Structure formats: structure tokens, C-alpha cells
Amino acid sequence: MQLAQHYQSHINILNQRVAEICAREGLSGLAIHSGQPHRQFLDDIDYPFKVNPHFKAWVPLLETPHCWLLVNGRDKPILIFYRPEDFWHKVTDLPQSFWCDSFDIRILTKADKVADLLPVAEGCWAYIGEHLEVASVLGFNNCNPEAVMSYMHFYRACKTDYELECMRQANHIAVEGHRAAKNAFYNGASEFEIQQQYLNAIAQGENQVPYGNIIALNQNAAILHYTALEHESPQQRLSFLIDAGASFHGYAADISRTYAFEKNRFHDLILAMNQLQLQLIEHLRPGKRYTELHLQAHQQLATLLLEVGLANGSQETLLEQGITRAFFPHGLGHMLGLQVHDVGGFFNDERGTHVAPPEDHPFLRCTRTMAPGHVVTIEPGLYFIDSLLVPLKLDGRKKLVDWDLVASLRPFGGIRIEDNVIIHAHGNENMTRESGLID
């Protein structure tokens, strides 16, 4: 693993970014807050802690609240590490890892005494985090300045070598889970049981994975963000859609696959969608706007619908009449990194100039022009969703769809195939397939 040798270079790049934006905005530096727990309403239990992504961009401390980073791009970054005296909870051990030498580590034993370690009175420091009431009490007058956030979000899309290695590792972990889930499906497990076997295979809990896994059998696969997890196995086992990821040092993998229980027409449709997805990845390159690839996906899907007999007419007609959008309602994918739907996907420049998706494709999460170092998901889908198909049946578009074939495929729910891809200057790296997940 190349993490240690890449890490200091990663910190150097982050420091360069901080130095530039602080000089531009007249700031002394950034105080990046890891965050603090949120208490459940009318209870004495906290929600699972989720660290500020701007914090974990610097250090892989994911479960320790009340920590701070003080960075100005010139001096050695300071990590204020929270380690209380506490007999109720497990106290985080003092860090001893490959990244420690990159920081001046100072220990904080009481969260409300952090002011003694902060440089607020020494200049114009900006607070980066979600707890604005804490920032106010501590004397920060500049919180999450828009110019700083836009700059950092724009450049965060360009991953460092350290970040790319973390994301490769996240894919390796997730692929092991997908293999376990696939076997569990074919061995008769319920949705809940498949989820448990997935988590066991990746050795991560539900609060450690980057998002709530989608484990859907049969028609449940037509619910795009299905997370209900039925405990009973269906009487007839038809299909399985899994959209599940894993985390490594705070970086996410986000992978989807669909399986048919038997080799039938739905199985053939999965194979066709797999080829469609691979063709789209081949067209992904620096300089191409992601929007163009999304529209290309609809063109290819229109051709596929005609080839398999789900639709009639011409490719142009299916696109103009919204037929492909009824079968494929979500975006082709999104940027990936410290967050599953990573920031900066709509940015045209470092000032945060917003580029909206096409009016007919409002759910597309990325309109960015691709560049080397970007990491995106490519996840075309084909679903049988009643609420989207019924309107076609009630107007003049009825004749464009083979409704008998739709009825025969409706119990299978739908198909989604998703890989995580690094864009390089001279070709793409499909982390998911190179980690061993083929079907």
C-alpha cells in the first residue's frame, strides 16, 4: 500500500490550496472543526457521529468529535486532538500512524476549553464547519466563507495520489462485500440477511459504510433508494439489485450490480445493460462535459429499448417523447470521494459558477467538465416503475411501448450497474472492475 509515501505530498497540495485562497481572501488561516455529536430529541443518546468532510480531507480521524485543524498553508498544520478523561465511553487512543508526523498535535481534554488553543484573536481566521453557534461563542466572525468553500470544493474534485489510493482500497473492500451478497442471494437469503452478510464481509457496521445500502429483491428493485430490508424471503426469487459501498480512511466506494436468479429474458437485459455501461465508460475522457455523457446514455438506451422490443419507433422519437426518461429517471452518476455525492459536481470554475443540468434531466448530479484526477460513478439504469410508466399509457405515447413485455418484466423491478472510474490524462481506470467485480 502506497499511503504513507503519498500522504505528505497530499498535505503539501492541501497546504498550497489553503495558502492561495487565504491570500486571495485576506485570511490568516482556517480553523476546521471535526464536529460534535447531535443529541436525539428528548433523549440522552447521540446520533451516530459524522465527521466534517473538510476535516477528514486532512486526517483520517472519522469518529472523534471536538477536534480542530488549524491550517494557514505556511506553517506545519496544528491538530487539536480531543481526548477527555471519561469512564463512560471508550476514549480514542493517541494517534500513532503514518500521518502523525505531518502535524503538530496538541491534546484537548475538555471540549469547552478549546478557546485556549485557538488563534482567533491573532488575526482573521475563518471557521469551517457546521456548528455556527460554537463558532460564534469562540469569536469567529467569518464562517464558511463562500469564496473559500467554492474554491475548496472545486479543487477537491481533483484527487491526489493519496486519495486515489484510498478509493482503490475502498473499492477492494466493497467488492468483497458484493461477492458475499451475490452468493447470499443465490443461496436463498432475505434482504436483511444479505445485508448482514455484506457488512460481515467488509467488516464495517451500518454507521461506517458511506451510505445506507440498497438491497432489493424482485420488484423492490424498482424503488431507486429502497432501504426497507425485508426479513422474509420472497416465495419466488426473481432478481436482486444491490447498491452498496465501503469506506477507507473516509473515502467512499459506491458500486451497484443486478442479478437474475435464472437465465431468462431479464438476464439477457442485464447483459445488454452491462455492455451499454462499458461503452459509456470508454467515452469518458478529459475535456468531456459529464452532461454530454448522460445524454449519450439516453441515446444508447433508446437503441437498446428498440433492440429488445420494449419500445417501438425511432431513437429520436423515444428521446423526444420522454420514453427513455420513464425507464431511466435518474442521472448517469456523480462525483465520488470524501462523500458519496461529492461536492463540486455542478461547478464550472473555482468561483463556484453553477452549471445546472438540462431541464428534462433535473436529477443529474454532475455537469462538470471532466479532468485528470476526477473520480465519477457511471450507473445507467433501466427500471419498471409504475408511477413513471402509467402516464405514457394514458396519452398518445401508448403505442411506443410494448406493454405486454413491460408487464412480464415488472416483477423483476429494474437494473442498475455502477462502477467507480478514475479519469487519467491517457485513459480511464475502472477501480471496480480492476478490483475483481465483473458481473
Side-chain angles (χ1 to χ4, degrees), residues 150-151 153-155 344 346-355 368:
S150 294
Y151 179 93
H153 290 171
F154 180 78
Y155 286 107
F346 297 111
F347 283 9
N348 192 56
D349 53 44
E350 63 187 38
R351 296 183 301 277
T353 303
H354 185 87
V355 178
R368 185 101 175 234

PDB file of all heavy atoms in Angstrom, residues 150-151 153-155 344 346-355 368:
ATOM      1  N   SER A 150     -16.235  27.499  -2.157  1.00  0.00           N
ATOM      2  CA  SER A 150     -16.301  27.223  -3.597  1.00  0.00           C
ATOM      3  C   SER A 150     -14.940  26.793  -4.120  1.00  0.00           C
ATOM      4  O   SER A 150     -14.832  25.841  -4.916  1.00  0.00           O
ATOM      5  CB  SER A 150     -16.791  28.457  -4.349  1.00  0.00           C
ATOM      6  OG  SER A 150     -18.123  28.763  -4.007  1.00  0.00           O
ATOM      7  N   TYR A 151     -13.895  27.490  -3.700  1.00  0.00           N
ATOM      8  CA  TYR A 151     -12.537  27.166  -4.142  1.00  0.00           C
ATOM      9  C   TYR A 151     -12.166  25.746  -3.721  1.00  0.00           C
ATOM     10  O   TYR A 151     -11.681  24.945  -4.531  1.00  0.00           O
ATOM     11  CB  TYR A 151     -11.566  28.181  -3.543  1.00  0.00           C
ATOM     12  CG  TYR A 151     -10.115  27.962  -3.904  1.00  0.00           C
ATOM     13  CD1 TYR A 151      -9.548  28.599  -5.001  1.00  0.00           C
ATOM     14  CD2 TYR A 151      -9.310  27.127  -3.128  1.00  0.00           C
ATOM     15  CE1 TYR A 151      -8.208  28.407  -5.322  1.00  0.00           C
ATOM     16  CE2 TYR A 151      -7.977  26.927  -3.445  1.00  0.00           C
ATOM     17  CZ  TYR A 151      -7.428  27.566  -4.536  1.00  0.00           C
ATOM     18  OH  TYR A 151      -6.108  27.367  -4.854  1.00  0.00           O
ATOM     19  N   HIS A 153     -14.136  23.269  -2.820  1.00  0.00           N
ATOM     20  CA  HIS A 153     -15.000  22.261  -3.435  1.00  0.00           C
ATOM     21  C   HIS A 153     -14.621  22.024  -4.887  1.00  0.00           C
ATOM     22  O   HIS A 153     -14.676  20.889  -5.373  1.00  0.00           O
ATOM     23  CB  HIS A 153     -16.462  22.695  -3.328  1.00  0.00           C
ATOM     24  CG  HIS A 153     -16.992  22.643  -1.932  1.00  0.00           C
ATOM     25  ND1 HIS A 153     -18.221  23.160  -1.581  1.00  0.00           N
ATOM     26  CD2 HIS A 153     -16.463  22.130  -0.790  1.00  0.00           C
ATOM     27  CE1 HIS A 153     -18.414  22.971  -0.289  1.00  0.00           C
ATOM     28  NE2 HIS A 153     -17.370  22.345   0.204  1.00  0.00           N
ATOM     29  N   PHE A 154     -14.255  23.079  -5.580  1.00  0.00           N
ATOM     30  CA  PHE A 154     -13.868  22.919  -6.987  1.00  0.00           C
ATOM     31  C   PHE A 154     -12.621  22.050  -7.100  1.00  0.00           C
ATOM     32  O   PHE A 154     -12.569  21.101  -7.889  1.00  0.00           O
ATOM     33  CB  PHE A 154     -13.621  24.290  -7.620  1.00  0.00           C
ATOM     34  CG  PHE A 154     -13.224  24.219  -9.064  1.00  0.00           C
ATOM     35  CD1 PHE A 154     -14.173  23.993 -10.054  1.00  0.00           C
ATOM     36  CD2 PHE A 154     -11.891  24.371  -9.447  1.00  0.00           C
ATOM     37  CE1 PHE A 154     -13.806  23.919 -11.392  1.00  0.00           C
ATOM     38  CE2 PHE A 154     -11.518  24.303 -10.781  1.00  0.00           C
ATOM     39  CZ  PHE A 154     -12.474  24.080 -11.755  1.00  0.00           C
ATOM     40  N   TYR A 155     -11.606  22.343  -6.291  1.00  0.00           N
ATOM     41  CA  TYR A 155     -10.349  21.613  -6.411  1.00  0.00           C
ATOM     42  C   TYR A 155     -10.375  20.260  -5.720  1.00  0.00           C
ATOM     43  O   TYR A 155      -9.548  19.387  -6.024  1.00  0.00           O
ATOM     44  CB  TYR A 155      -9.194  22.467  -5.889  1.00  0.00           C
ATOM     45  CG  TYR A 155      -8.845  23.575  -6.857  1.00  0.00           C
ATOM     46  CD1 TYR A 155      -9.169  24.895  -6.578  1.00  0.00           C
ATOM     47  CD2 TYR A 155      -8.235  23.283  -8.078  1.00  0.00           C
ATOM     48  CE1 TYR A 155      -8.872  25.910  -7.486  1.00  0.00           C
ATOM     49  CE2 TYR A 155      -7.938  24.288  -8.989  1.00  0.00           C
ATOM     50  CZ  TYR A 155      -8.256  25.593  -8.689  1.00  0.00           C
ATOM     51  OH  TYR A 155      -7.974  26.579  -9.599  1.00  0.00           O
ATOM     52  N   GLY A 344     -18.894  19.841  -5.756  1.00  0.00           N
ATOM     53  CA  GLY A 344     -18.260  20.411  -6.936  1.00  0.00           C
ATOM     54  C   GLY A 344     -18.762  19.879  -8.250  1.00  0.00           C
ATOM     55  O   GLY A 344     -18.252  20.257  -9.312  1.00  0.00           O
ATOM     56  N   PHE A 346     -21.391  20.501  -9.923  1.00  0.00           N
ATOM     57  CA  PHE A 346     -22.053  21.484 -10.780  1.00  0.00           C
ATOM     58  C   PHE A 346     -21.178  22.709 -11.049  1.00  0.00           C
ATOM     59  O   PHE A 346     -21.638  23.669 -11.646  1.00  0.00           O
ATOM     60  CB  PHE A 346     -23.368  21.944 -10.138  1.00  0.00           C
ATOM     61  CG  PHE A 346     -24.390  20.862  -9.975  1.00  0.00           C
ATOM     62  CD1 PHE A 346     -24.739  20.402  -8.717  1.00  0.00           C
ATOM     63  CD2 PHE A 346     -25.000  20.282 -11.079  1.00  0.00           C
ATOM     64  CE1 PHE A 346     -25.686  19.399  -8.556  1.00  0.00           C
ATOM     65  CE2 PHE A 346     -25.948  19.284 -10.931  1.00  0.00           C
ATOM     66  CZ  PHE A 346     -26.283  18.831  -9.674  1.00  0.00           C
ATOM     67  N   PHE A 347     -19.918  22.678 -10.597  1.00  0.00           N
ATOM     68  CA  PHE A 347     -19.072  23.869 -10.688  1.00  0.00           C
ATOM     69  C   PHE A 347     -18.394  23.967 -12.057  1.00  0.00           C
ATOM     70  O   PHE A 347     -17.839  22.991 -12.555  1.00  0.00           O
ATOM     71  CB  PHE A 347     -18.001  23.850  -9.601  1.00  0.00           C
ATOM     72  CG  PHE A 347     -18.506  24.232  -8.237  1.00  0.00           C
ATOM     73  CD1 PHE A 347     -19.865  24.379  -7.987  1.00  0.00           C
ATOM     74  CD2 PHE A 347     -17.628  24.439  -7.202  1.00  0.00           C
ATOM     75  CE1 PHE A 347     -20.327  24.732  -6.730  1.00  0.00           C
ATOM     76  CE2 PHE A 347     -18.070  24.790  -5.933  1.00  0.00           C
ATOM     77  CZ  PHE A 347     -19.430  24.937  -5.696  1.00  0.00           C
ATOM     78  N   ASN A 348     -18.398  25.172 -12.599  1.00  0.00           N
ATOM     79  CA  ASN A 348     -17.708  25.430 -13.856  1.00  0.00           C
ATOM     80  C   ASN A 348     -16.329  26.039 -13.624  1.00  0.00           C
ATOM     81  O   ASN A 348     -15.482  26.013 -14.506  1.00  0.00           O
ATOM     82  CB  ASN A 348     -18.541  26.362 -14.741  1.00  0.00           C
ATOM     83  CG  ASN A 348     -18.014  26.439 -16.161  1.00  0.00           C
ATOM     84  OD1 ASN A 348     -17.885  25.420 -16.833  1.00  0.00           O
ATOM     85  ND2 ASN A 348     -17.681  27.637 -16.621  1.00  0.00           N
ATOM     86  N   ASP A 349     -16.124  26.597 -12.425  1.00  0.00           N
ATOM     87  CA  ASP A 349     -14.842  27.221 -12.114  1.00  0.00           C
ATOM     88  C   ASP A 349     -14.676  27.287 -10.600  1.00  0.00           C
ATOM     89  O   ASP A 349     -15.568  26.893  -9.842  1.00  0.00           O
ATOM     90  CB  ASP A 349     -14.750  28.624 -12.740  1.00  0.00           C
ATOM     91  CG  ASP A 349     -15.927  29.515 -12.392  1.00  0.00           C
ATOM     92  OD1 ASP A 349     -16.338  29.526 -11.206  1.00  0.00           O
ATOM     93  OD2 ASP A 349     -16.454  30.203 -13.281  1.00  0.00           O
ATOM     94  N   GLU A 350     -13.519  27.806 -10.164  1.00  0.00           N
ATOM     95  CA  GLU A 350     -13.211  27.841  -8.736  1.00  0.00           C
ATOM     96  C   GLU A 350     -14.034  28.863  -7.971  1.00  0.00           C
ATOM     97  O   GLU A 350     -14.029  28.873  -6.743  1.00  0.00           O
ATOM     98  CB  GLU A 350     -11.719  28.117  -8.530  1.00  0.00           C
ATOM     99  CG  GLU A 350     -11.266  29.457  -9.040  1.00  0.00           C
ATOM    100  CD  GLU A 350      -9.752  29.610  -8.978  1.00  0.00           C
ATOM    101  OE1 GLU A 350      -9.045  28.625  -9.255  1.00  0.00           O
ATOM    102  OE2 GLU A 350      -9.294  30.711  -8.635  1.00  0.00           O
ATOM    103  N   ARG A 351     -14.749  29.730  -8.674  1.00  0.00           N
ATOM    104  CA  ARG A 351     -15.656  30.676  -8.008  1.00  0.00           C
ATOM    105  C   ARG A 351     -17.008  30.045  -7.712  1.00  0.00           C
ATOM    106  O   ARG A 351     -17.855  30.658  -7.072  1.00  0.00           O
ATOM    107  CB  ARG A 351     -15.847  31.926  -8.878  1.00  0.00           C
ATOM    108  CG  ARG A 351     -14.582  32.730  -9.087  1.00  0.00           C
ATOM    109  CD  ARG A 351     -14.850  34.002  -9.896  1.00  0.00           C
ATOM    110  NE  ARG A 351     -15.418  33.696 -11.207  1.00  0.00           N
ATOM    111  CZ  ARG A 351     -14.697  33.362 -12.270  1.00  0.00           C
ATOM    112  NH1 ARG A 351     -13.377  33.282 -12.164  1.00  0.00           N
ATOM    113  NH2 ARG A 351     -15.257  33.102 -13.425  1.00  0.00           N
ATOM    114  N   GLY A 352     -17.209  28.829  -8.189  1.00  0.00           N
ATOM    115  CA  GLY A 352     -18.456  28.119  -7.915  1.00  0.00           C
ATOM    116  C   GLY A 352     -19.559  28.424  -8.890  1.00  0.00           C
ATOM    117  O   GLY A 352     -20.740  28.198  -8.580  1.00  0.00           O
ATOM    118  N   THR A 353     -19.223  28.919 -10.077  1.00  0.00           N
ATOM    119  CA  THR A 353     -20.244  29.187 -11.099  1.00  0.00           C
ATOM    120  C   THR A 353     -21.033  27.919 -11.381  1.00  0.00           C
ATOM    121  O   THR A 353     -20.462  26.891 -11.760  1.00  0.00           O
ATOM    122  CB  THR A 353     -19.600  29.700 -12.393  1.00  0.00           C
ATOM    123  OG1 THR A 353     -18.820  30.873 -12.097  1.00  0.00           O
ATOM    124  CG2 THR A 353     -20.664  30.045 -13.427  1.00  0.00           C
ATOM    125  N   HIS A 354     -22.328  27.999 -11.181  1.00  0.00           N
ATOM    126  CA  HIS A 354     -23.192  26.816 -11.223  1.00  0.00           C
ATOM    127  C   HIS A 354     -23.638  26.519 -12.656  1.00  0.00           C
ATOM    128  O   HIS A 354     -24.099  27.408 -13.370  1.00  0.00           O
ATOM    129  CB  HIS A 354     -24.421  27.041 -10.341  1.00  0.00           C
ATOM    130  CG  HIS A 354     -25.322  25.859 -10.219  1.00  0.00           C
ATOM    131  ND1 HIS A 354     -25.141  24.870  -9.275  1.00  0.00           N
ATOM    132  CD2 HIS A 354     -26.423  25.493 -10.929  1.00  0.00           C
ATOM    133  CE1 HIS A 354     -26.094  23.962  -9.405  1.00  0.00           C
ATOM    134  NE2 HIS A 354     -26.884  24.313 -10.402  1.00  0.00           N
ATOM    135  N   VAL A 355     -23.479  25.268 -13.058  1.00  0.00           N
ATOM    136  CA  VAL A 355     -23.985  24.799 -14.348  1.00  0.00           C
ATOM    137  C   VAL A 355     -25.095  23.796 -14.057  1.00  0.00           C
ATOM    138  O   VAL A 355     -24.836  22.684 -13.572  1.00  0.00           O
ATOM    139  CB  VAL A 355     -22.889  24.149 -15.202  1.00  0.00           C
ATOM    140  CG1 VAL A 355     -23.470  23.642 -16.516  1.00  0.00           C
ATOM    141  CG2 VAL A 355     -21.765  25.148 -15.481  1.00  0.00           C
ATOM    142  N   ARG A 368     -20.138  18.753 -14.649  1.00  0.00           N
ATOM    143  CA  ARG A 368     -18.751  19.225 -14.690  1.00  0.00           C
ATOM    144  C   ARG A 368     -18.034  18.774 -15.965  1.00  0.00           C
ATOM    145  O   ARG A 368     -18.301  17.695 -16.505  1.00  0.00           O
ATOM    146  CB  ARG A 368     -18.031  18.678 -13.467  1.00  0.00           C
ATOM    147  CG  ARG A 368     -16.611  19.153 -13.246  1.00  0.00           C
ATOM    148  CD  ARG A 368     -16.549  20.208 -12.205  1.00  0.00           C
ATOM    149  NE  ARG A 368     -15.172  20.586 -11.912  1.00  0.00           N
ATOM    150  CZ  ARG A 368     -14.633  20.592 -10.711  1.00  0.00           C
ATOM    151  NH1 ARG A 368     -15.342  20.231  -9.661  1.00  0.00           N
ATOM    152  NH2 ARG A 368     -13.390  20.979 -10.521  1.00  0.00           N
TER     153      ARG A 368
END
